[in-house]
Amino acid sequence: MQSSEQPPEIFDRRRRGAMRQRAYQNAANAFLWQYIAQEMKERLALVSRELKDVLFIGPISTFASEILGERACAIYIADIVHPTFPPMVKADEDRLPHEPHSFDLVISAGILDSVNDLPGALIQIRHILKPDGLFLGHMFGAGSLATLKSRMVAAEAPVATSHIHPQIDLKSAADLLSRAGFKLPVADSDTLAIRYGDWRTLVRDIRDAGIGNALAGSRRYLGRTYLERLDREWLKGADHSGRCEEQFVHLFLSGWSPSENQPKPARRGSGEVSLSSILRPADKS
């Protein structure tokens, strides 16, 4: 399923693996993962059809039972970390080893914004879905961690370094779903705002969730006084209680694999009433 022309490796796969291991250790108690899992549960509750084979990609598998509820499904897991039990396979999101038409449902959450080949990953997910199979996805979108980014830039002035990888916006996410060939694609967003009294607590939450900076390349030394400068910049933007508000922008994606049984647009010209006749001005007597 891999393209002969691979995109550049923007993200370091080994760093992503290390971050993912930490996410597995803390996901059950991390509020970000709990929030994502609850949203996935609510979205899946709207789907009434039978699901026999379900694939979870990434740490969201920690909440598989909670998301699926009483549904009797065969659960499979794919991730970049080493397998811990037989149903789990070690695989990158853009290098899935599964056969076409294997799953009724694929859920991938919290990790898609740092995939090297996101369009390729979405296409592969569509391929491994059965006809009329459902994909539920999530990623952190543009606008996430805006406060931390701005404080870090100010603390590093006049030279800035990328500490948090860029994310895509809602429109781009919706376009990717369509380009990947999903039918009835839907993309929506939600913003979770948290007030922090210390940037260190925010950074710890990010690391525990396994969503930190996975960009490839070396890290620039910021100097001995960098942390002190960051402390000052954080306090400059704090409110009267000494807290700063940070935002986590959640993009939720859904789409169906093509099927002959899906509703199709009406054939052009098949309508009984002409649009032009409706729009034509009425005759005046």
Side-chain angles (χ1 to χ4, degrees):
M1 295 182 189
Q2 298 181 40
S3 170
S4 59
E5 295 183 5
Q6 293 294 328
E9 294 281 300
I10 301 174
F11 300 102
D12 187 302
R13 295 182 185 269
R14 287 186 299 177
R15 284 176 181 163
R16 293 186 76 233
M19 290 164 53
R20 198 68 56 80
Q21 289 284 7
R22 186 163 183 170
Y24 272 103
Q25 295 171 4
N26 300 283
N29 299 314
F31 74 90
L32 286 170
W33 283 107
Q34 293 172 352
Y35 178 84
I36 297 169
Q38 180 61 33
E39 289 291 323
M40 287 293 173
K41 177 181 179 181
E42 293 178 2
R43 283 164 166 75
L44 187 58
L46 301 175
V47 179
S48 58
R49 69 183 55 192
E50 182 182 9
L51 302 173
K52 295 182 178 179
D53 300 293
V54 179
L55 175 66
F56 286 85
I57 304 177
I60 192 65
S61 61
T62 303
F63 301 91
S65 298
E66 177 182 338
I67 294 172
L68 294 173
E70 299 299 322
R71 297 175 188 262
C73 309
I75 300 174
Y76 303 85
I77 302 170
D79 205 351
I80 57 179
V81 299
H82 290 287
T84 54
F85 48 91
M88 184 175 183
V89 298
K90 188 176 187 297
D92 289 87
E93 299 85 348
D94 51 359
R95 298 175 179 176
L96 296 174
H98 307 88
E99 294 295 324
H101 306 161
S102 295
F103 303 103
D104 300 288
L105 169 67
V106 173
I107 296 180
S108 178
I111 56 177
L112 291 174
D113 55 299
S114 63
V115 174
N116 278 297
D117 183 8
L118 180 55
L122 293 176
I123 291 173
Q124 291 182 42
I125 289 173
R126 178 176 62 79
H127 283 166
I128 65 177
L129 281 168
K130 299 176 184 178
D132 207 28
L134 175 62
F135 165 61
L136 291 179
H138 162 279
M139 68 179 73
F140 291 97
S144 297
L145 303 175
T147 299
L148 182 59
K149 290 178 184 177
S150 64
R151 302 296 190 272
M152 285 182 165
V153 169
E156 291 183 58
V159 179
T161 302
S162 294
H163 295 285
I164 302 168
H165 62 258
Q167 292 114 352
I168 68 174
D169 58 23
L170 182 62
K171 182 180 183 303
S172 298
D175 290 342
L176 284 174
L177 280 175
S178 297
R179 287 170 51 194
F182 285 102
K183 302 301 181 182
L184 308 175
V186 175
D188 64 279
S189 65
D190 190 21
T191 300
L192 181 64
I194 307 292
R195 295 172 69 246
Y196 285 93
D198 184 0
W199 63 264
R200 291 172 176 82
T201 305
L202 170 57
V203 170
R204 184 172 63 249
D205 284 347
I206 295 171
R207 289 177 175 172
D208 286 348
I211 59 173
N213 182 11
L215 288 171
S218 59
R219 300 290 189 258
R220 184 172 69 88
Y221 177 62
L222 301 175
R224 292 181 298 175
T225 62
Y226 173 72
L227 298 183
E228 296 176 2
R229 299 197 304 271
L230 184 53
D231 283 334
R232 289 196 297 269
E233 294 299 332
W234 184 265
L235 290 175
K236 282 183 183 179
D239 59 18
H240 64 278
S241 65
R243 296 179 176 273
C244 294
E245 183 177 280
E246 187 56 277
Q247 294 185 339
F248 297 89
V249 179
H250 297 269
L251 304 184
F252 294 96
L253 316 175
S254 67
W256 300 84
S257 61
S259 170
E260 295 181 355
N261 299 326
Q262 287 172 336
K264 294 180 174 59
R267 179 176 55 84
R268 184 173 183 179
S270 62
E272 297 180 357
V273 180
S274 170
L275 182 61
S276 61
S277 66
I278 297 176
L279 299 178
R280 185 184 304 124
D283 293 335
K284 294 182 179 180
S285 56

